[in-house]
Amino acid sequence: MNYKEQTKITRAIIKSAVIMLEFGAESILIEQTAQRLGKALGVDSVEISLIPSAIVLTTLKDLQSVTTTRRAHHKPINMSIVCDIQKMTIDVEKNSNISADFITQTLKDIEPKYYNKWLLVFMVGLSCASFAYLRGVDFNGFFITFLAASIAMMIRHELAKKRFILILTFGITAFFATVIANLASSLNLSSTPSIVLSASVLLLVPGFPFINSMLDATKGYLSMAWGRWMQASLLTLATSIGIIIAMSILNIKGW
């Protein structure tokens, strides 16, 4: 294997790893996928170093090594992308004639799969309202929670579409969800306004990053664990600030 061919293989592998990192894959899965691709493409080993914002990857073949670094940009979590890369990895392992060009082209053709916007808004609103119901919210509070969470999800979707910073997106969404949920108490529409308020912002709980951070920590990827934990904590803080600002304004206005 000449240096040029090994370089192409290295670039194809790290591109796969970066996409998986950007869309929320677990660290050990990223490393294992990179090593599987390297083995299938003919290199002796793949060494990879992960941090939340970048990947450093080295391929080794005999006495020859190629090292490259790529920056990772945060994107919305999408497991369909991760599954597509896993399927591609299996295809590469099964067919010994596949080259790095196949991987590069396949990655270009992979597109995120999204649910219908209105279905997503409806289901998020219904899930938050259902949680409020489980906590004992009354009939009016159920529908106010559904309304607040649905509108909040629409706002979050539009802000994400316009590529707002994620922390700002969470803060703004929490603000409007709180304002709408406050209708339960300001208009005396519900006898359980506190449940309405807490359930309306459940769509902003960053559960996936918290889970990934714990998984990474237990499997030895401490830098990734701290990075993901910090990101989830900042999103939680932004949500809290949005709620506090909304409540402060509502109290000043006497609502």
Side-chain angles (χ1 to χ4, degrees), residues 16 30 54 67 84 88 92 95 97 102 119-120 129 148 165 168 227 230 253:
S16 303
I30 298 172
T67 301
D84 287 340
M88 178 198 70
V92 173
N95 191 340
N97 296 323
F102 170 81
L119 175 62
L120 191 61
I165 298 173
L168 286 179
M230 183 59 69
K253 295 290 185 179

Side-chain angles (χ1 to χ4, degrees), residues 76 114 117 153-166 168-169 172:
Y114 297 109
K117 171 187 173 182
M153 189 61 201
M154 290 177 60
I155 294 172
R156 179 179 174 180
H157 183 274
E158 291 302 316
L159 293 176
K161 190 176 177 180
K162 296 181 183 300
R163 300 183 182 277
F164 268 61
I165 298 173
L166 194 59
L168 286 179
T169 298
I172 294 171

Side-chain angles (χ1 to χ4, degrees), residues 187-204:
L187 301 179
N188 294 319
L189 297 177
S190 172
S191 59
T192 54
S194 60
I195 298 177
V196 173
L197 181 61
S198 60
S200 297
V201 294
L202 281 178
L203 71 152
L204 298 174

Side-chain angles (χ1 to χ4, degrees), residues 47-250:
E47 306 297 333
I48 186 170
S49 176
L50 298 169
I51 60 173
S53 60
I55 294 178
V56 180
L57 185 141
T58 299
T59 58
L60 304 172
K61 178 63 176 177
D62 298 329
L63 298 178
Q64 182 173 274
S65 67
V66 177
T67 301
T68 186
T69 304
R70 293 291 185 277
R71 181 172 176 78
H73 301 279
H74 177 79
K75 294 179 181 178
I77 294 169
N78 194 315
M79 289 296 104
S80 70
I81 297 291
V82 178
C83 289
D84 287 340
I85 294 177
Q86 290 298 296
K87 292 176 183 177
M88 178 198 70
T89 303
I90 294 172
D91 291 338
V92 173
E93 289 176 326
K94 288 181 177 180
N95 191 340
S96 59
N97 296 323
I98 289 179
S99 66
D101 292 330
F102 170 81
I103 296 177
T104 302
Q105 186 58 48
T106 301
L107 294 175
K108 289 181 180 179
D109 295 337
I110 292 177
E111 294 183 357
K113 297 179 180 66
Y114 297 109
Y115 289 106
N116 178 273
K117 171 187 173 182
W118 298 110
L119 175 62
L120 191 61
V121 167
F122 174 80
M123 292 306 298
V124 167
L126 182 61
S127 63
C128 291
S130 299
F131 184 83
Y133 175 79
L134 292 175
R135 293 189 58 195
V137 77
D138 58 17
F139 185 78
N140 288 340
F142 178 89
F143 286 100
I144 295 174
T145 303
F146 175 82
L147 177 66
S150 298
I151 294 177
M153 189 61 201
M154 290 177 60
I155 294 172
R156 179 179 174 180
H157 183 274
E158 291 302 316
L159 293 176
K161 190 176 177 180
K162 296 181 183 300
R163 300 183 182 277
F164 268 61
I165 298 173
L166 194 59
I167 292 177
L168 286 179
T169 298
F170 271 60
I172 294 171
T173 303
F175 175 86
F176 284 102
T178 303
V179 170
I180 298 168
N182 190 65
L183 293 172
S185 61
S186 62
L187 301 179
N188 294 319
L189 297 177
S190 172
S191 59
T192 54
S194 60
I195 298 177
V196 173
L197 181 61
S198 60
S200 297
V201 294
L202 281 178
L203 71 152
L204 298 174
V205 175
F208 206 94
F210 273 126
I211 293 172
N212 267 348
S213 68
M214 293 302 297
L215 291 174
D216 286 344
T218 56
K219 295 174 183 178
Y221 300 90
L222 294 181
S223 60
M224 287 295 297
W226 277 111
R228 284 173 164 167
W229 181 85
M230 183 59 69
Q231 180 191 47
S233 299
L234 288 174
L235 294 179
T236 303
L237 178 62
T239 300
S240 302
I241 291 174
I243 294 172
I244 292 170
I245 293 174
M247 293 301 295
S248 299
I249 293 174
L250 292 171

